[in-house]
Amino acid sequence: MKGSNKVADVIDGKRVAAEIRQEVKQEVEDLRANGVTPGLAVVLVGDNPASAVYVRMKAKACEEAGIYSRVIRLPVETGQGELEAVVDELNADGAIHGMLVQLPLPPQIEERSITWRIDPAKDVDGFHPMNVGRMMIGDPLAFRPATPAGVIELLMRSGYDPSGKRVTIVGRSNIVGKPLSVLLSQKMKGGNATVTLAHSRTPDLPAVLREGDILVAAIGVPEFVKAGAVKPGAVVIDVGVNRVDDPGTEKGYRLVGDVAYEEVSQVASAITPVPGGVGPLTIAMLLKNCIVATRGIAGIA
Ligand SMILES: NC(=O)c1ccc[n+]([C@@H]2O[C@H](COP(=O)([O-])OP(=O)(O)OC[C@H]3O[C@@H](n4cnc5c(N)ncnc54)[C@H](OP(=O)(O)O)[C@@H]3O)[C@@H](O)[C@H]2O)c1
């Protein structure tokens, strides 16, 4: 735990992600030795700049790990039927073991029916209701959504096992806060925490968050969590990635998290930076899910 005038330790997401990616690479080699090359397809509809960056990063990470990757870029005006046809083709494609449709989708596309259409065996995002259900009941072979799974790996591999700890999470989205609350509550390795899931209707939010030995912020509001909402000595995980204008930088913006990093560092015992904290884990866990999918489809334990 933290002394009175010590600044928090920085939890290094890049290091942990590199470790996982190395393990994935090894697994890919094993699968290839068994005659199977894992394949991941990523579908991007439109030209949202942030989505385009994420898709490029995913494809590059696949290549580095020896995973075959295919990026399918569709115009922004793509219709529901056209996108469904692409999903159907990928469902039937033997070279593809995992696939995802990058979110958000343009308004003419109904996101939910696309999510439901992806073959659950290839659903490496873990968003299909079948996989959400399997995760909920603690099926160890279920796909775990990449960002919450990444938060747990980051904690475990940095020496902060959540077992027996009070964890406060702010943000209850279906892709981060809610599944993270489930995973941390499970009776399994990386779980066994006592979890509070807070949101925009939580009264006296700072007092609730201050109960956490581990605090996770996933709301999408720049530097929202201040030092007063953090228990002294807590471990703080910042999932937020927010662009804020900064004319002093080349791009005209910089990335900040949902946590006021400087002041919270004075109170917490450990904290994730943004960038370089949770973000790299999301891609590493996607690759892991691709291995799970390949093993499942190829029948290789
Ligand atoms: N590092 C990564 O790889 C990664 C991956 C995914 C997301 N992210 C980032 O994580 C952040 C959250 O993403 P998301 O997709 O989970 O967001 P989201 O779907 O917009 O959900 C935001 C959640 O935060 C809650 N919230 C918003 N403002 C609040 C406030 N002032 N006080 C209390 N709760 C508040 C909302 O509460 P209500 O439900 O009550 O409205 C909602 O549950 C974003 O910055 C996003 O970019 C990062």
Short mmCIF file of all heavy atoms in Angstrom, two decimals, residues 130-144 179 182-189:
data_model
loop_
_atom_site.label_atom_id
_atom_site.label_comp_id
_atom_site.label_asym_id
_atom_site.label_seq_id
_atom_site.Cartn_x
_atom_site.Cartn_y
_atom_site.Cartn_z
N MET A 130 -25.60 -15.58 -27.07
CA MET A 130 -25.18 -16.92 -26.64
C MET A 130 -23.87 -16.84 -25.83
O MET A 130 -23.73 -17.47 -24.78
CB MET A 130 -24.95 -17.79 -27.89
CG MET A 130 -24.24 -19.07 -27.64
SD MET A 130 -25.35 -20.43 -27.50
CE MET A 130 -25.76 -20.68 -29.23
N ASN A 131 -22.94 -16.03 -26.31
CA ASN A 131 -21.66 -15.91 -25.60
C ASN A 131 -21.80 -15.08 -24.33
O ASN A 131 -21.13 -15.36 -23.33
CB ASN A 131 -20.60 -15.33 -26.54
CG ASN A 131 -20.21 -16.34 -27.60
OD1 ASN A 131 -20.07 -17.53 -27.31
ND2 ASN A 131 -20.06 -15.89 -28.84
N VAL A 132 -22.66 -14.08 -24.37
CA VAL A 132 -22.91 -13.28 -23.16
C VAL A 132 -23.49 -14.19 -22.07
O VAL A 132 -23.06 -14.16 -20.92
CB VAL A 132 -23.87 -12.10 -23.45
CG1 VAL A 132 -24.20 -11.35 -22.17
CG2 VAL A 132 -23.26 -11.16 -24.49
N GLY A 133 -24.43 -15.06 -22.48
CA GLY A 133 -25.04 -16.00 -21.53
C GLY A 133 -24.03 -16.98 -20.96
O GLY A 133 -23.99 -17.23 -19.76
N ARG A 134 -23.18 -17.50 -21.84
CA ARG A 134 -22.16 -18.46 -21.37
C ARG A 134 -21.19 -17.81 -20.41
O ARG A 134 -20.77 -18.42 -19.42
CB ARG A 134 -21.40 -19.03 -22.58
CG ARG A 134 -22.26 -19.99 -23.39
CD ARG A 134 -21.49 -20.52 -24.58
NE ARG A 134 -20.36 -21.35 -24.17
CZ ARG A 134 -19.53 -21.94 -25.02
NH1 ARG A 134 -19.69 -21.79 -26.31
NH2 ARG A 134 -18.53 -22.68 -24.57
N MET A 135 -20.84 -16.55 -20.70
CA MET A 135 -19.94 -15.83 -19.78
C MET A 135 -20.63 -15.63 -18.43
O MET A 135 -20.04 -15.81 -17.37
CB MET A 135 -19.56 -14.48 -20.38
CG MET A 135 -18.69 -13.66 -19.46
SD MET A 135 -18.64 -11.92 -19.92
CE MET A 135 -20.32 -11.43 -19.72
N MET A 136 -21.92 -15.28 -18.51
CA MET A 136 -22.70 -14.99 -17.29
C MET A 136 -22.74 -16.18 -16.34
O MET A 136 -22.63 -16.02 -15.13
CB MET A 136 -24.13 -14.60 -17.73
CG MET A 136 -25.02 -14.16 -16.64
SD MET A 136 -24.65 -12.46 -16.20
CE MET A 136 -25.45 -12.39 -14.62
N ILE A 137 -22.88 -17.38 -16.91
CA ILE A 137 -22.97 -18.57 -16.04
C ILE A 137 -21.58 -19.13 -15.70
O ILE A 137 -21.47 -20.17 -15.07
CB ILE A 137 -23.87 -19.67 -16.63
CG1 ILE A 137 -23.35 -20.14 -17.98
CG2 ILE A 137 -25.32 -19.19 -16.72
CD1 ILE A 137 -24.10 -21.33 -18.57
N GLY A 138 -20.54 -18.45 -16.15
CA GLY A 138 -19.19 -18.84 -15.74
C GLY A 138 -18.60 -19.99 -16.54
O GLY A 138 -17.70 -20.68 -16.06
N ASP A 139 -19.08 -20.20 -17.77
CA ASP A 139 -18.50 -21.23 -18.63
C ASP A 139 -17.05 -20.86 -18.93
O ASP A 139 -16.79 -19.82 -19.54
CB ASP A 139 -19.34 -21.30 -19.92
CG ASP A 139 -18.82 -22.35 -20.89
OD1 ASP A 139 -17.68 -22.81 -20.73
OD2 ASP A 139 -19.58 -22.70 -21.81
N PRO A 140 -16.10 -21.70 -18.50
CA PRO A 140 -14.68 -21.31 -18.68
C PRO A 140 -14.27 -21.22 -20.15
O PRO A 140 -13.25 -20.59 -20.45
CB PRO A 140 -13.90 -22.40 -17.95
CG PRO A 140 -14.85 -23.52 -17.76
CD PRO A 140 -16.24 -22.98 -17.82
N LEU A 141 -15.04 -21.83 -21.06
CA LEU A 141 -14.66 -21.79 -22.47
C LEU A 141 -15.36 -20.66 -23.23
O LEU A 141 -15.18 -20.52 -24.43
CB LEU A 141 -14.99 -23.14 -23.13
CG LEU A 141 -14.20 -24.32 -22.58
CD1 LEU A 141 -14.61 -25.61 -23.26
CD2 LEU A 141 -12.69 -24.10 -22.75
N ALA A 142 -16.17 -19.85 -22.53
CA ALA A 142 -16.88 -18.76 -23.20
C ALA A 142 -15.89 -17.70 -23.68
O ALA A 142 -14.86 -17.48 -23.05
CB ALA A 142 -17.88 -18.13 -22.24
N PHE A 143 -16.23 -17.04 -24.79
CA PHE A 143 -15.44 -15.87 -25.20
C PHE A 143 -15.70 -14.78 -24.16
O PHE A 143 -16.85 -14.48 -23.85
CB PHE A 143 -15.91 -15.34 -26.56
CG PHE A 143 -15.56 -16.23 -27.70
CD1 PHE A 143 -16.55 -16.82 -28.47
CD2 PHE A 143 -14.23 -16.47 -28.03
CE1 PHE A 143 -16.24 -17.64 -29.54
CE2 PHE A 143 -13.90 -17.29 -29.10
CZ PHE A 143 -14.91 -17.88 -29.85
N ARG A 144 -14.63 -14.19 -23.67
CA ARG A 144 -14.79 -13.07 -22.74
C ARG A 144 -14.54 -11.80 -23.55
O ARG A 144 -13.53 -11.71 -24.26
CB ARG A 144 -13.78 -13.17 -21.59
CG ARG A 144 -13.96 -14.45 -20.76
CD ARG A 144 -12.98 -14.54 -19.61
NE ARG A 144 -11.60 -14.40 -20.05
CZ ARG A 144 -10.58 -14.05 -19.28
NH1 ARG A 144 -10.79 -13.80 -18.00
NH2 ARG A 144 -9.37 -13.95 -19.76
N PRO A 179 -20.11 -6.39 -18.32
CA PRO A 179 -19.41 -7.68 -18.32
C PRO A 179 -18.24 -7.73 -17.33
O PRO A 179 -17.98 -8.78 -16.74
CB PRO A 179 -18.91 -7.84 -19.77
CG PRO A 179 -19.08 -6.51 -20.42
CD PRO A 179 -20.14 -5.78 -19.68
N VAL A 182 -19.50 -8.76 -14.04
CA VAL A 182 -19.80 -10.20 -14.00
C VAL A 182 -18.51 -11.00 -13.83
O VAL A 182 -18.41 -11.87 -12.96
CB VAL A 182 -20.53 -10.62 -15.31
CG1 VAL A 182 -20.63 -12.14 -15.41
CG2 VAL A 182 -21.92 -9.98 -15.37
N LEU A 183 -17.50 -10.69 -14.64
CA LEU A 183 -16.26 -11.46 -14.58
C LEU A 183 -15.58 -11.34 -13.22
O LEU A 183 -15.08 -12.32 -12.66
CB LEU A 183 -15.29 -11.01 -15.69
CG LEU A 183 -15.72 -11.35 -17.13
CD1 LEU A 183 -14.81 -10.67 -18.14
CD2 LEU A 183 -15.71 -12.86 -17.35
N LEU A 184 -15.59 -10.14 -12.68
CA LEU A 184 -14.93 -9.93 -11.37
C LEU A 184 -15.68 -10.63 -10.24
O LEU A 184 -15.11 -10.91 -9.20
CB LEU A 184 -14.80 -8.43 -11.07
CG LEU A 184 -13.73 -7.68 -11.84
CD1 LEU A 184 -13.93 -6.17 -11.70
CD2 LEU A 184 -12.33 -8.06 -11.35
N SER A 185 -16.98 -10.87 -10.46
CA SER A 185 -17.80 -11.52 -9.43
C SER A 185 -17.75 -13.04 -9.51
O SER A 185 -18.24 -13.72 -8.62
CB SER A 185 -19.28 -11.13 -9.57
OG SER A 185 -19.43 -9.75 -9.72
N GLN A 186 -17.22 -13.59 -10.62
CA GLN A 186 -17.26 -15.04 -10.81
C GLN A 186 -16.42 -15.76 -9.78
O GLN A 186 -15.42 -15.25 -9.30
CB GLN A 186 -16.72 -15.42 -12.21
CG GLN A 186 -17.54 -14.93 -13.36
CD GLN A 186 -18.88 -15.64 -13.51
OE1 GLN A 186 -19.28 -16.43 -12.65
NE2 GLN A 186 -19.58 -15.36 -14.59
N LYS A 187 -16.87 -16.99 -9.52
CA LYS A 187 -16.10 -17.85 -8.61
C LYS A 187 -15.02 -18.53 -9.43
O LYS A 187 -15.13 -19.71 -9.78
CB LYS A 187 -17.05 -18.87 -7.97
CG LYS A 187 -16.49 -19.57 -6.77
CD LYS A 187 -17.58 -20.37 -6.07
CE LYS A 187 -17.06 -21.05 -4.83
NZ LYS A 187 -18.15 -21.73 -4.11
N MET A 188 -14.03 -17.79 -9.83
CA MET A 188 -12.93 -18.35 -10.64
C MET A 188 -11.72 -17.42 -10.56
O MET A 188 -11.82 -16.31 -10.04
CB MET A 188 -13.36 -18.57 -12.09
CG MET A 188 -13.84 -17.33 -12.81
SD MET A 188 -14.00 -17.55 -14.61
CE MET A 188 -15.33 -18.72 -14.75
N LYS A 189 -10.60 -17.91 -11.07
CA LYS A 189 -9.36 -17.12 -11.08
C LYS A 189 -9.63 -15.77 -11.77
O LYS A 189 -10.27 -15.73 -12.82
CB LYS A 189 -8.30 -17.91 -11.85
CG LYS A 189 -6.91 -17.40 -11.64
CD LYS A 189 -5.90 -18.35 -12.27
CE LYS A 189 -4.58 -17.63 -12.40
NZ LYS A 189 -3.86 -17.94 -13.61
#
